[in-house]
PDB file of all heavy atoms in Angstrom:
ATOM      1  N   ALA B 161     119.731  97.464  38.328  1.00  0.00           N
ATOM      2  CA  ALA B 161     120.325  98.453  39.228  1.00  0.00           C
ATOM      3  C   ALA B 161     120.449  97.933  40.654  1.00  0.00           C
ATOM      4  O   ALA B 161     121.209  98.461  41.458  1.00  0.00           O
ATOM      5  CB  ALA B 161     119.506  99.743  39.212  1.00  0.00           C
ATOM      6  N   ILE B 162     119.714  96.890  40.982  1.00  0.00           N
ATOM      7  CA  ILE B 162     119.826  96.285  42.309  1.00  0.00           C
ATOM      8  C   ILE B 162     121.063  95.377  42.358  1.00  0.00           C
ATOM      9  O   ILE B 162     121.518  94.987  43.419  1.00  0.00           O
ATOM     10  CB  ILE B 162     118.520  95.510  42.635  1.00  0.00           C
ATOM     11  CG1 ILE B 162     117.351  96.479  42.643  1.00  0.00           C
ATOM     12  CG2 ILE B 162     118.603  94.780  43.964  1.00  0.00           C
ATOM     13  CD1 ILE B 162     115.995  95.803  42.613  1.00  0.00           C
ATOM     14  N   GLU B 163     121.625  95.124  41.176  1.00  0.00           N
ATOM     15  CA  GLU B 163     122.787  94.240  41.040  1.00  0.00           C
ATOM     16  C   GLU B 163     122.555  92.884  41.698  1.00  0.00           C
ATOM     17  O   GLU B 163     123.322  92.472  42.574  1.00  0.00           O
ATOM     18  CB  GLU B 163     124.056  94.918  41.569  1.00  0.00           C
ATOM     19  CG  GLU B 163     124.334  96.236  40.864  1.00  0.00           C
ATOM     20  CD  GLU B 163     125.779  96.714  41.035  1.00  0.00           C
ATOM     21  OE1 GLU B 163     126.447  96.280  41.987  1.00  0.00           O
ATOM     22  OE2 GLU B 163     126.212  97.515  40.196  1.00  0.00           O
ATOM     23  N   PRO B 164     121.515  92.189  41.272  1.00  0.00           N
ATOM     24  CA  PRO B 164     121.221  90.884  41.863  1.00  0.00           C
ATOM     25  C   PRO B 164     122.183  89.820  41.342  1.00  0.00           C
ATOM     26  O   PRO B 164     122.822  90.018  40.312  1.00  0.00           O
ATOM     27  CB  PRO B 164     119.802  90.589  41.370  1.00  0.00           C
ATOM     28  CG  PRO B 164     119.717  91.286  40.054  1.00  0.00           C
ATOM     29  CD  PRO B 164     120.602  92.503  40.149  1.00  0.00           C
ATOM     30  N   GLN B 165     122.284  88.731  42.057  1.00  0.00           N
ATOM     31  CA  GLN B 165     123.107  87.615  41.573  1.00  0.00           C
ATOM     32  C   GLN B 165     122.252  86.532  40.938  1.00  0.00           C
ATOM     33  O   GLN B 165     122.725  85.748  40.136  1.00  0.00           O
ATOM     34  CB  GLN B 165     123.889  87.025  42.737  1.00  0.00           C
ATOM     35  CG  GLN B 165     124.852  88.027  43.315  1.00  0.00           C
ATOM     36  CD  GLN B 165     125.895  87.333  44.150  1.00  0.00           C
ATOM     37  OE1 GLN B 165     126.416  86.293  43.779  1.00  0.00           O
ATOM     38  NE2 GLN B 165     126.207  87.920  45.284  1.00  0.00           N
ATOM     39  N   VAL B 166     120.987  86.502  41.383  1.00  0.00           N
ATOM     40  CA  VAL B 166     120.041  85.550  40.816  1.00  0.00           C
ATOM     41  C   VAL B 166     118.941  86.362  40.150  1.00  0.00           C
ATOM     42  O   VAL B 166     118.455  87.336  40.731  1.00  0.00           O
ATOM     43  CB  VAL B 166     119.424  84.660  41.914  1.00  0.00           C
ATOM     44  CG1 VAL B 166     118.386  83.709  41.325  1.00  0.00           C
ATOM     45  CG2 VAL B 166     120.501  83.889  42.654  1.00  0.00           C
ATOM     46  N   VAL B 167     118.564  85.996  38.921  1.00  0.00           N
ATOM     47  CA  VAL B 167     117.485  86.716  38.257  1.00  0.00           C
ATOM     48  C   VAL B 167     116.419  85.726  37.809  1.00  0.00           C
ATOM     49  O   VAL B 167     116.714  84.713  37.179  1.00  0.00           O
ATOM     50  CB  VAL B 167     118.005  87.536  37.054  1.00  0.00           C
ATOM     51  CG1 VAL B 167     116.851  88.145  36.278  1.00  0.00           C
ATOM     52  CG2 VAL B 167     118.926  88.636  37.549  1.00  0.00           C
ATOM     53  N   ILE B 168     115.177  86.015  38.189  1.00  0.00           N
ATOM     54  CA  ILE B 168     114.061  85.165  37.798  1.00  0.00           C
ATOM     55  C   ILE B 168     113.259  85.882  36.716  1.00  0.00           C
ATOM     56  O   ILE B 168     112.866  87.040  36.881  1.00  0.00           O
ATOM     57  CB  ILE B 168     113.150  84.880  39.007  1.00  0.00           C
ATOM     58  CG1 ILE B 168     113.959  84.169  40.093  1.00  0.00           C
ATOM     59  CG2 ILE B 168     111.956  84.038  38.592  1.00  0.00           C
ATOM     60  CD1 ILE B 168     113.236  84.082  41.411  1.00  0.00           C
ATOM     61  N   LEU B 169     113.045  85.193  35.618  1.00  0.00           N
ATOM     62  CA  LEU B 169     112.287  85.770  34.515  1.00  0.00           C
ATOM     63  C   LEU B 169     110.985  84.985  34.385  1.00  0.00           C
ATOM     64  O   LEU B 169     111.018  83.780  34.145  1.00  0.00           O
ATOM     65  CB  LEU B 169     113.084  85.655  33.205  1.00  0.00           C
ATOM     66  CG  LEU B 169     114.533  86.137  33.239  1.00  0.00           C
ATOM     67  CD1 LEU B 169     115.256  85.746  31.955  1.00  0.00           C
ATOM     68  CD2 LEU B 169     114.574  87.645  33.431  1.00  0.00           C
ATOM     69  N   ASP B 170     109.845  85.647  34.576  1.00  0.00           N
ATOM     70  CA  ASP B 170     108.565  84.954  34.477  1.00  0.00           C
ATOM     71  C   ASP B 170     107.928  85.304  33.132  1.00  0.00           C
ATOM     72  O   ASP B 170     107.365  86.374  32.968  1.00  0.00           O
ATOM     73  CB  ASP B 170     107.655  85.357  35.641  1.00  0.00           C
ATOM     74  CG  ASP B 170     106.452  84.434  35.763  1.00  0.00           C
ATOM     75  OD1 ASP B 170     106.281  83.555  34.892  1.00  0.00           O
ATOM     76  OD2 ASP B 170     105.685  84.590  36.723  1.00  0.00           O
ATOM     77  N   GLU B 171     108.063  84.424  32.173  1.00  0.00           N
ATOM     78  CA  GLU B 171     107.588  84.658  30.804  1.00  0.00           C
ATOM     79  C   GLU B 171     107.944  86.059  30.314  1.00  0.00           C
ATOM     80  O   GLU B 171     107.075  86.876  30.054  1.00  0.00           O
ATOM     81  CB  GLU B 171     106.084  84.453  30.749  1.00  0.00           C
ATOM     82  CG  GLU B 171     105.746  83.008  30.991  1.00  0.00           C
ATOM     83  CD  GLU B 171     104.439  82.647  30.384  1.00  0.00           C
ATOM     84  OE1 GLU B 171     104.293  82.893  29.178  1.00  0.00           O
ATOM     85  OE2 GLU B 171     103.587  82.139  31.120  1.00  0.00           O
ATOM     86  N   PRO B 172     109.240  86.310  30.172  1.00  0.00           N
ATOM     87  CA  PRO B 172     109.702  87.677  29.919  1.00  0.00           C
ATOM     88  C   PRO B 172     109.328  88.231  28.546  1.00  0.00           C
ATOM     89  O   PRO B 172     109.396  89.428  28.347  1.00  0.00           O
ATOM     90  CB  PRO B 172     111.220  87.560  30.054  1.00  0.00           C
ATOM     91  CG  PRO B 172     111.523  86.133  29.721  1.00  0.00           C
ATOM     92  CD  PRO B 172     110.360  85.356  30.244  1.00  0.00           C
ATOM     93  N   THR B 173     108.905  87.376  27.616  1.00  0.00           N
ATOM     94  CA  THR B 173     108.623  87.910  26.276  1.00  0.00           C
ATOM     95  C   THR B 173     107.125  87.976  25.963  1.00  0.00           C
ATOM     96  O   THR B 173     106.751  88.286  24.842  1.00  0.00           O
ATOM     97  CB  THR B 173     109.321  87.069  25.178  1.00  0.00           C
ATOM     98  OG1 THR B 173     108.834  85.726  25.249  1.00  0.00           O
ATOM     99  CG2 THR B 173     110.824  87.069  25.347  1.00  0.00           C
ATOM    100  N   ALA B 174     106.277  87.700  26.967  1.00  0.00           N
ATOM    101  CA  ALA B 174     104.829  87.712  26.723  1.00  0.00           C
ATOM    102  C   ALA B 174     104.378  89.035  26.099  1.00  0.00           C
ATOM    103  O   ALA B 174     104.773  90.110  26.545  1.00  0.00           O
ATOM    104  CB  ALA B 174     104.084  87.477  28.033  1.00  0.00           C
ATOM    105  N   GLY B 175     103.600  88.935  25.054  1.00  0.00           N
ATOM    106  CA  GLY B 175     102.999  90.122  24.443  1.00  0.00           C
ATOM    107  C   GLY B 175     103.906  90.924  23.525  1.00  0.00           C
ATOM    108  O   GLY B 175     103.492  91.942  22.974  1.00  0.00           O
ATOM    109  N   LEU B 176     105.156  90.487  23.336  1.00  0.00           N
ATOM    110  CA  LEU B 176     106.047  91.245  22.440  1.00  0.00           C
ATOM    111  C   LEU B 176     105.931  90.723  21.013  1.00  0.00           C
ATOM    112  O   LEU B 176     105.589  89.566  20.790  1.00  0.00           O
ATOM    113  CB  LEU B 176     107.495  91.107  22.900  1.00  0.00           C
ATOM    114  CG  LEU B 176     107.869  91.732  24.240  1.00  0.00           C
ATOM    115  CD1 LEU B 176     109.330  91.452  24.549  1.00  0.00           C
ATOM    116  CD2 LEU B 176     107.606  93.231  24.236  1.00  0.00           C
TER     117      LEU B 176
END
Side-chain angles (χ1 to χ4, degrees):
Chain B
I162 299 166
E163 303 198 339
Q165 297 198 42
V166 177
V167 173
I168 300 169
L169 310 170
D170 193 355
E171 293 205 54
T173 60
L176 294 178

